[in-house]
Amino acid sequence: MVDWSTVPKTAKPVKEETMTTKPRIFVTGATGKTGSVVAAELLKAGYRVRAMVHGEDGRSAGLRAQGAEVVVADMSDVERVGDALKDAQGAYFCPPFDPYMIQGAVAFAVAAREARLEHIVGLTQWLASPSHPSLMTRQLWLVNQLFAMTPGIAHTIVNPGFFADSYLMLTGYAANLGVFPWVYGDSRNAPASNEDIARVAVAALMDPARHAGKSYHPTGPELLDAKDMAQAIGRAVGRSVKVLPTPAWLFMKSARLGGLPIDLISGVRYYIDDHKRGAFELGAPTTDVLDVTGRPPEDFETIARRYAALPGNQRTLGNRFRQFAQFMIAPLRSGFNLDKYDRDLRRPFPSRPQFAPESKVWQREHSIAHVEDTSALDARTVLVRG
């Protein structure tokens, strides 16, 4: 038995400290574009973070330095994930772009229920729908349904479109060659930053009661076309930048040269068509970033300035030579053999595939009220928000 008369008056019982400790949040994809920001924002706010990573590297060391507990695990390892979820109250589920992602999501749901997790905030995709030609997109729609049906666990969906990052990966070309390759026709988007998407997830994790059962579509503040983006990037890098219309086949070759995985590109080939159809401008921009976080979304130029400051995007002789070499070599390199990839994977395909604007389920879930002519691949889809 403790003799409290011998304890200094400044000391507090351990129980009192425990009662004021903020919940533990489990973050998957914790070294990724949104997961790393989610972990950092939660730690800054005083939450305990258990971060799941695929392996030890400098990024995981950085998480530990910030105060996170790091767990190395594969999403499909239900027992390992179950152990990692113990005593966590909430979780950020960031799905890997993997053909077997659905297996990992099921394992996560089983482990979450066993661990009596209270709340899942799931990152999904603007295009998620049940009959989309992209396997990943169909799987993401199924994951939304799975988590919504998991008993005893609240669920919040964070559903962004193309990240600003998807366009700003080309900042090096803009800075050193003065061109902005564009493969999406005359369509527009209101792209959100990685940081704004993550902050929406963090706000939901911090206040489950307010956000349970909600679906958010974070976007940037305005719709932009290729010219708008090129001008914003030009201001960020300090030079004139012209839009360079680029065929899809060359985009695919450049993607392979740039080291992007075939799992990702197998879906992106369809997202190009969705983009051309105007899928990312339907119902956009939204006010979800402001409504959820209390902060207005970052504009595209502000985001572009961060990318322009990266060493690989600086206007140097070495960078200029590297970008020019890639630009010239890409057409000569082989692209992905996506048909072989599908055959080897035995990838299932819907009997009646539908791009997002054609799907009545997608229209309903995005509050889209009216559709005009979505039959032709090259036709722009015109929808109005209900």
Side-chain angles (χ1 to χ4, degrees):
M1 185 172 182
V2 178
D3 180 1
W4 290 105
S5 64
T6 65
V7 177
K9 292 183 179 181
T10 55
K12 294 183 180 180
V14 173
K15 183 177 181 181
E16 183 177 339
E17 290 184 352
T18 302
M19 289 175 64
T20 60
T21 301
K22 290 185 178 180
R24 175 174 282 108
I25 306 296
F26 184 69
V27 178
T28 74
T31 57
K33 293 175 182 178
T34 60
S36 60
V37 182
V38 169
E41 291 287 322
L42 287 169
L43 287 166
K44 283 192 290 186
Y47 285 78
R48 295 172 292 167
V49 172
R50 183 173 292 144
M52 192 175 88
V53 300
H54 292 295
E56 297 281 4
D57 58 20
R59 297 173 301 171
S60 59
L63 286 169
R64 284 197 178 90
Q66 294 177 68
E69 176 189 355
V70 176
V71 175
V72 179
D74 184 271
M75 191 77 76
S76 297
D77 189 341
V78 63
E79 293 176 316
R80 180 70 171 150
V81 173
D83 289 341
L85 279 170
K86 287 179 180 176
D87 67 17
Q89 282 72 52
Y92 176 62
F93 180 84
C94 181
F97 219 108
D98 182 291
Y100 305 105
M101 184 273 293
I102 192 71
Q103 179 178 342
V106 172
F108 187 87
V110 170
R113 186 180 180 190
E114 186 69 21
R116 297 185 180 180
L117 192 72
E118 297 173 9
H119 183 211
I120 297 173
V121 175
L123 181 70
T124 178
Q125 186 188 86
W126 187 275
L127 303 173
S129 50
S131 298
H132 198 277
S134 165
L135 174 63
M136 181 67 173
T137 302
R138 297 197 305 275
Q139 288 188 348
L140 283 168
W141 186 84
L142 288 171
V143 171
N144 292 342
Q145 314 312 307
L146 170 68
F147 289 163
M149 294 187 296
T150 303
I153 302 177
H155 178 220
T156 304
I157 293 173
V158 179
N159 186 318
F162 257 33
F163 292 20
D165 177 83
S166 300
Y167 308 102
L168 292 170
M169 290 174 64
L170 302 171
T171 302
Y173 281 124
N176 289 284
L177 304 181
V179 296
F180 178 50
W182 181 262
V183 71
Y184 309 110
D186 62 350
S187 60
R188 300 179 298 167
N189 186 15
S193 67
N194 302 340
E195 291 75 12
D196 278 336
I197 295 166
R199 281 190 280 262
V200 169
V202 168
L205 287 163
M206 289 181 176
D207 193 353
R210 176 188 169 194
H211 300 290
K214 302 289 183 64
S215 180
Y216 298 114
H217 306 283
T219 70
E222 60 181 330
L223 285 168
L224 306 172
D225 60 18
K227 185 177 179 181
D228 296 326
M229 293 188 196
Q231 290 175 345
I233 295 172
R235 291 190 293 270
V237 301
R239 67 172 297 172
S240 175
V241 175
K242 294 183 179 180
V243 177
L244 180 64
T246 305
W249 64 265
L250 181 54
F251 171 86
M252 297 296 182
K253 289 189 174 189
S254 299
R256 186 173 188 183
L257 183 63
L260 296 180
I262 192 171
D263 296 333
L264 174 64
I265 298 303
S266 68
V268 169
R269 59 175 157 168
Y270 299 116
Y271 307 156
I272 292 172
D273 281 326
D274 268 305
H275 203 312
K276 288 179 177 179
R277 290 162 172 255
F280 295 110
E281 59 189 271
L282 309 180
T286 72
T287 61
D288 287 356
V289 172
L290 176 61
D291 295 342
V292 175
T293 71
R295 297 170 51 175
E298 296 183 296
D299 64 83
F300 190 76
E301 183 176 337
T302 297
I303 308 166
R305 290 187 180 280
R306 286 202 295 272
Y307 285 75
L310 297 175
N313 293 333
Q314 297 293 300
R315 295 174 64 183
T316 67
L317 183 61
N319 284 340
R320 189 173 302 116
F321 177 79
R322 177 174 55 85
Q323 295 290 349
F324 181 75
Q326 290 181 353
F327 186 80
M328 298 302 294
I329 291 171
L332 306 176
R333 298 292 296 269
S334 60
F336 294 105
N337 189 337
L338 295 174
D339 290 337
K340 183 178 185 301
Y341 171 80
D342 288 346
R343 290 195 302 270
D344 291 347
L345 193 63
R346 295 185 179 180
R347 185 174 72 92
F349 205 78
S351 58
R352 296 182 61 189
Q354 294 178 308
F355 286 94
E358 299 169 346
S359 168
K360 291 182 178 180
V361 173
W362 184 86
Q363 294 167 26
R364 182 179 69 247
E365 292 179 353
H366 282 252
S367 302
I368 303 299
H370 180 64
V371 182
E372 297 178 2
D373 189 11
T374 60
S375 59
L377 279 175
D378 60 349
R380 291 291 301 281
T381 307
V382 181
L383 292 88
V384 295
R385 195 169 180 80

